[in-house]
Amino acid sequence: MANVVLGVTGSIAAYRAADLARELMRGGCTVRVCLTPAAEKFVTRVLFESLTGQPCLVWAFDEPEAGRMAHIDWARQADLLVIAPATANILNKIASGVADDMLSTIALAYTGPMLVAPAMNPAMLANETTQASLRRLVSRGVEVVQPAEGEVACGEHGQGKLASVSEIASAAMALIGWTRRLEGRRVLVTSGPTREPIDSVRFLSNRSSGKMGAALAKAALWMGADVTVVTGPAAVPPPLGPKVVRVETALEMLAAASREAPTADLILAVAAVADYRAAEQHPGKMRRTEEDLVLRLVPNPDVVAELGRLAKPDAVLVGFAAEPTDDLAAARAKLERKGLHFIAANDVSQAGIGFESDENELVLIGREGSPERSGRLSKIGCAKWLLDRVAQALPGERETP
Ligand code: PMT
């Protein structure tokens, strides 16, 4: 049974949250409601406590269980946070990390999947700040059930009416189904760059920030997987939740990932592993001279190919290809050479995607069928898109309709 926290904010549509709570309960969810103080002007705590049989929170210091911090408990225990109706105020607050009431505090402490159903006056929805907040939330993986067009409570016409209860409930139930998709599966993610030392202060590396790997780890966690991340020294930390093994060099990445690979069901090799390392590591700091300096490099092992040899026969192996063009031939060759089931190519010559950026655009190539294109999405959007597809190759998985 899924634990849903339903946040209700100060909109005239707040009364429809009662039906939404019932719909979610009919779907088998345990629903706990948190009202904002403004929502309490429209609907009452008693209404939701009677409907759900659960305590309802309003104020930041509400503590149904003495001595427990409810905002942390509720955030930890929830499988899904739904905010419906979501006013401009709550959207702008949670997009910026403001936590000044119980609901926004739960939202800040919560790390799982979230769904918001905005409802407000059309001008407030069209306001640049609200739109920017919605974009920020989407870039963090929050699902939005868009408000409908029509006459809103203030008499104006435009987009801003809360979507129907059935539409919000179906989106929530679909999300709950999705959060179970990788339950019982072990996912191994290699992420970030490697650093290959030249001397005690210098190294060979690349521009991988670890954002794509972190996004995949987060999406896999949201889908219920048991996740391990083996990461090089990335600019962005992995999300909270997975087992994290930090490494520096390709050889260390190989050693750490090799320990995890034999029990993994899905291996996602996102790391930008240095292909070469210095043949000799100079002790101490190399000094400048007037002579040319020739560094001899030797090839590193192919980590993902090695992991494929160690993996279970039915494990699914996904590589990434950072390509300087949109020509897929090189990516296809890597798929074959490295014994992968899929490779996700990203054209790193394009501005705004690939290395370091917050967005990406993937072309997923399998052993059969035509390549699929994600289009430009946030990295968490790409991660969800990719996992939905590669999960279908796991043993015992149904094709999604
Ligand atoms: O970290 P970000 O800033 O978010 O950037 C994301 C990314 C651009 C790094 C990511 O999307 C990506 O493309 N990762 C793969 C980068 C890469 O090393 O590509 P490649 O074409 O050189 O390698 C192909 C595959 O072989 C990769 O799965 C790589 O992990 C693996 N490999 C490569 C070399 C090596 N010695 N061992 C490997 O396992």
Side-chain angles (χ1 to χ4, degrees):
M1 196 186 293
N3 278 312
V4 177
V5 171
L6 173 59
V8 181
T9 67
S11 152
I12 295 170
Y15 72 96
R16 289 168 62 201
D19 280 342
L20 178 59
R22 287 177 80 111
E23 265 315 292
L24 295 171
M25 288 164 67
R26 275 193 206 104
C29 304
T30 300
V31 179
R32 293 195 288 187
V33 175
C34 179
L35 303 177
T36 59
E40 221 192 4
K41 304 269 182 202
F42 295 95
V43 286
T44 65
R45 213 190 259 253
V46 176
L47 167 69
F48 288 104
E49 288 188 340
S50 313
L51 261 180
T52 63
Q54 301 287 335
C56 172
L57 303 178
V58 180
W59 300 97
F61 293 98
D62 279 352
E63 263 191 28
E65 275 184 75
R68 303 222 38 111
M69 283 180 276
H71 64 287
I72 302 295
D73 266 2
W74 282 37
R76 272 195 202 136
Q77 292 158 6
D79 299 305
L80 178 66
L81 172 58
V82 178
I83 306 185
T87 56
N89 187 44
I90 194 75
L91 294 172
N92 291 325
K93 283 201 303 192
I94 61 175
S96 322
V98 174
D100 63 354
D101 58 22
M102 184 53 106
L103 180 58
S104 51
T105 309
I106 290 173
L108 194 62
Y110 176 70
T111 56
M114 191 188 302
L115 184 139
V116 297
M120 66 196 76
N121 166 278
M124 291 169 90
L125 180 65
N127 182 289
E128 269 177 38
T129 309
T130 313
Q131 287 299 315
S133 295
L134 279 167
R135 281 195 298 277
R136 255 163 115 176
L137 293 173
V138 168
S139 76
R140 291 178 206 156
V142 174
E143 303 252 339
V144 181
V145 182
Q146 291 295 345
E149 280 219 26
E151 196 180 36
V152 290
C154 57
E156 275 180 36
H157 193 92
Q159 193 186 9
K161 280 167 74 80
L162 183 70
S164 71
V165 166
S166 64
E167 205 182 328
I168 304 167
S170 325
M173 293 312 296
L175 203 48
I176 289 166
W178 179 81
T179 61
R180 308 217 151 132
R181 190 95 196 272
L182 292 179
E183 248 173 26
R185 311 281 193 182
R186 290 206 63 237
V187 174
L188 169 61
V189 183
T190 68
S191 180
T194 63
R195 276 184 188 171
E196 310 298 328
I198 296 169
D199 64 11
S200 60
V201 295
R202 301 179 181 93
F203 53 82
L204 295 169
S205 192
N206 59 65
R207 290 170 39 208
S208 171
S209 62
K211 287 181 184 176
M212 191 68 240
L216 277 156
K218 185 186 244 187
L221 280 174
W222 285 356
M223 291 171 82
D226 174 3
V227 182
T228 299
V229 182
V230 177
T231 178
V236 168
L240 289 180
K243 173 180 170 189
V244 178
V245 185
R246 293 179 199 280
V247 297
E248 289 266 327
T249 65
L251 290 175
E252 288 170 11
M253 183 167 278
L254 175 64
S258 295
R259 286 192 286 276
E260 305 292 334
T263 52
D265 300 294
L266 177 59
I267 299 177
L268 304 164
V270 196
V273 184
D275 283 319
Y276 295 91
R277 66 180 185 279
E280 292 95 29
Q281 198 186 322
H282 192 278
K285 185 181 172 196
M286 285 164 76
R287 298 291 167 188
R288 183 182 182 284
T289 68
E290 292 306 317
E291 302 298 315
D292 287 357
L293 174 70
V294 178
L295 267 182
R296 195 166 66 86
L297 302 179
V298 293
N300 268 327
D302 190 326
V303 176
V304 69
E306 193 52 41
L307 298 182
R309 284 187 271 279
L310 297 169
K312 296 189 281 194
D314 55 5
V316 173
L317 200 59
V318 184
F320 271 65
E323 295 301 333
T325 68
D326 64 357
D327 180 2
L328 300 180
R332 282 185 200 281
K334 285 177 189 171
L335 174 90
E336 294 297 329
R337 194 169 69 241
K338 293 169 186 270
L340 308 171
H341 298 96
F342 295 94
I343 194 154
N346 38 193
D347 177 356
V348 291
S349 68
Q350 278 193 51
I353 64 166
F355 288 107
E356 294 170 313
S357 55
D358 292 326
E359 293 185 325
N360 213 351
E361 201 172 323
L362 302 177
V363 185
L364 185 65
I365 305 170
R367 287 186 184 168
E368 290 153 17
S370 313
E372 286 192 79
R373 291 176 183 274
S374 69
R376 188 175 284 225
L377 296 171
S378 64
K379 281 189 171 163
I380 187 79
C382 280
K384 289 160 78 178
W385 178 89
L386 179 128
L387 285 176
D388 277 344
R389 279 153 185 80
V390 301
Q392 290 179 24
L394 288 166
E397 259 286 316
R398 275 181 304 111
E399 287 274 316
T400 47

